Amino acid sequence: PIKVSMAPIYKYFIPTGLLLGSFLALTNMDVVLVRHFHPEKAGIYSVAQMAGLIIFFLPGTIAMVIFPKVAAARARQADSLSLLKESLVLVAGFCLLGVLAFGIFPADLLHIITGKTNPLSIELVPWFTLAMSFHALTMLVLFYHLASHNTRIVLPMVLLAAAEAVTISLYHPTLISILFILLFYS
């Protein structure tokens, strides 16, 4: 029987799990904390968040495509920074279009997506799309580093997620203030 060492798998899995878990917390904890601190307005916040998530997930496919290409470049010991730069420009372009569309037509687009046009949700939509645009760019950079086996970014991401949770927990008077905290940490 051939023995396979699991150490390399754990060496990659644990930092990857911490990194992706922290990023998931960074992008979603605001909704959980809004439900805790402003339960009567959580639906309004969640409706606005859907617009931001569209901006976040659409260019996310580029991150999935870049991962194997960067990993292959790393295996060949080739430079992959140009892949990251091109992908960042492409994602930024998609995000800019989305931010502009939701900034100019927030009520119309929100009505198409959800069937609802609460004035407070409409006010939050442009800020959500901007915050999620930065998160989309961050996701691309994270996947680039994961494909490059660079785990130095794990601790800063864990600390960033914890700082966002603490900040929202300490300062949450309005939905827009929570959203500005999300925007700041994005």
Side-chain angles (χ1 to χ4, degrees):
I2 299 172
K3 288 193 171 196
V4 177
S5 172
M6 296 298 287
I9 294 171
Y10 290 131
K11 188 177 179 184
Y12 185 74
F13 172 76
I14 292 171
T16 300
L18 282 171
L19 184 67
L20 295 178
S22 297
F23 184 65
L24 183 65
L26 194 65
T27 57
N28 290 297
M29 81 173 69
D30 60 314
V31 175
V32 174
L33 293 173
V34 163
R35 286 186 183 143
H36 176 73
F37 294 119
H38 299 282
E40 69 286 351
K41 295 180 183 174
I44 293 167
Y45 193 84
S46 293
V47 166
Q49 185 204 30
M50 283 198 308
L53 290 177
I54 289 170
I55 302 298
F56 177 69
F57 284 117
L58 282 179
T61 55
I62 295 169
M64 298 302 141
V65 171
I66 192 176
F67 187 87
K69 290 184 177 203
V70 172
R74 180 183 180 271
R76 292 189 318 268
Q77 296 180 342
D79 182 39
S80 59
L81 193 57
S82 63
L83 284 170
L84 176 63
K85 289 176 184 177
E86 291 171 13
S87 299
L88 284 171
V89 169
L90 191 59
V91 168
F94 280 128
C95 290
L96 180 62
L97 289 174
V99 168
L100 288 174
F102 278 103
I104 296 169
F105 308 108
D108 298 327
L109 292 173
L110 201 58
H111 184 71
I112 290 169
I113 295 167
T114 66
K116 300 175 185 178
T117 54
N118 183 297
L120 186 54
S121 289
I122 293 168
E123 179 186 340
L124 299 174
V125 165
W127 298 107
F128 255 118
T129 58
L130 186 59
M132 290 302 163
S133 293
F134 289 126
H135 280 312
L137 292 166
T138 301
M139 179 174 61
L140 187 61
V141 172
L142 293 180
F143 274 85
Y144 174 82
H145 284 290
L146 285 175
S148 301
H149 288 257
N150 178 5
T151 58
R152 294 176 304 187
I153 59 170
V154 173
L155 182 59
M157 188 58 73
V158 170
L159 294 174
L160 198 62
E164 181 182 271
V166 169
T167 305
I168 293 174
S169 296
L170 294 175
Y171 183 75
H172 52 268
T174 64
L175 296 181
I176 197 77
S177 64
I178 293 171
L179 186 50
F180 283 160
I181 292 168
L182 175 70
L183 181 59
F184 175 79
Y185 282 99
S186 70

